[in-house]
Amino acid sequence: MYFQHADAIRSEFPGLAAAAITTSGITAAPDVTEQVARFTAIANTRLAGGTESDLPEIKAWRQAFSAMGLKPTQYRCASEALLRRLRKEGELPRIHPLIDLCNAVSVAFAIPVAALDLGRISGDLEVRHARGDKSYHTFSGTTENPEPGEVIFADAAGRSHARRWTNRQSGLSAVRPETSRVLIVAEALHESAAENVEALMKTLTEELAAAWAVTPTAAVLNEAAPRFEA
């Protein structure tokens, strides 16, 4: 399968920088407590001077959400939601070691990071505008239908694995205890997005290799190389 952004998305958001990582051999066994503490400490240092809304990475996503007709304070990108929770509660929820690691790296870089179970995705995955024909499964087990024009992660079986782009991931392809093969996606829109996304990708691949003894495959996606073969 491949992962890519539709041409229309890249045209509307020319500053988009993205990275994709795949690996097999993921389990729920590793202890990532040290990694989570290290990366959340970086996030806390960045938050010491203000709130998450002051960060350029978050400002860029707020502008993008406004351009999509969404209220930025009602629909937050994933990294903003995590940073807000960290600032208010002092810690992030612990769910699964892979998710915990991705969330910690996400707040350290203030960049949304999605981790998806490839075993629950059918065919190719594309970030594109919804056409009103995709179903979205929530974490509570209900089914929704993204509105036409909404930015989604669409697979070949008529399912959406994210709503409102980086706002809300589907429960269908969420990482779970039995997950083994994953796709991890990081996306950013701020001025230094390309440089920061590449650094995030390198950091996360190194942490994955250390914690799970795996060899991830990763790539930065851009206009010249928009497709990632998983």
Side-chain angles (χ1 to χ4, degrees):
M1 63 89 70
Y2 65 75
F3 171 82
Q4 69 177 18
H5 293 81
D7 290 342
I9 299 297
R10 289 199 168 275
S11 177
E12 290 173 35
F13 301 94
L16 172 65
I21 304 168
T22 56
T23 190
S24 298
I26 295 300
T27 69
D31 181 358
V32 295
T33 302
E34 183 276 329
Q35 292 95 322
V36 169
R38 177 159 34 94
F39 289 115
T40 53
I42 295 171
N44 282 322
T45 297
R46 297 194 70 189
L47 290 171
T51 68
E52 59 282 353
S53 62
D54 298 319
L55 301 176
E57 298 89 343
I58 302 306
K59 286 181 179 180
W61 276 111
R62 284 191 167 207
Q63 291 170 359
F65 275 42
S66 293
M68 292 187 289
L70 302 171
K71 293 181 178 179
T73 54
Q74 181 178 0
Y75 300 108
R76 293 178 168 87
C77 74
S79 55
E80 180 179 358
L82 288 170
L83 283 162
R84 188 168 186 263
R85 184 163 184 170
L86 178 63
R87 177 173 56 83
K88 288 180 172 292
E89 300 180 11
E91 61 183 4
L92 297 175
R94 301 299 294 270
I95 301 168
H96 178 287
L98 179 68
I99 299 173
D100 298 344
L101 174 62
C102 287
N103 284 348
V105 171
S106 177
V107 295
F109 284 85
I111 291 174
V113 176
L116 303 101
D117 185 334
L118 275 176
R120 293 174 175 267
I121 295 174
S122 298
D124 304 320
L125 191 64
E126 183 176 57
V127 181
R128 64 165 174 80
H129 292 291
R131 304 181 186 120
D133 60 348
K134 297 291 183 184
S135 61
Y136 171 90
H137 299 273
T138 69
F139 277 84
S140 62
T142 59
T143 300
E144 300 173 354
N145 296 103
E147 299 177 1
E150 183 179 324
V151 179
I152 61 172
F153 279 39
D155 76 6
R159 297 179 299 197
S160 170
H161 295 273
R163 287 201 65 181
R164 294 178 289 273
W165 203 348
T166 57
N167 166 245
R168 189 176 169 209
Q169 194 173 328
S170 169
L172 179 65
S173 53
V175 172
R176 41 184 48 82
E178 63 270 24
T179 295
S180 175
R181 187 166 177 251
V182 297
L183 169 68
I184 300 170
V185 177
E187 299 162 295
L189 294 164
H190 59 289
E191 186 175 350
S192 58
E195 177 184 346
N196 297 152
V197 163
E198 186 169 5
L200 184 155
M201 180 186 73
K202 181 180 179 182
T203 296
L204 198 45
T205 54
E206 290 174 351
E207 296 294 344
L208 290 168
W212 280 271
V214 295
T215 304
T217 300
V220 172
L221 306 181
N222 51 44
E223 285 187 312
R227 179 175 294 186
F228 177 74
E229 299 286 347

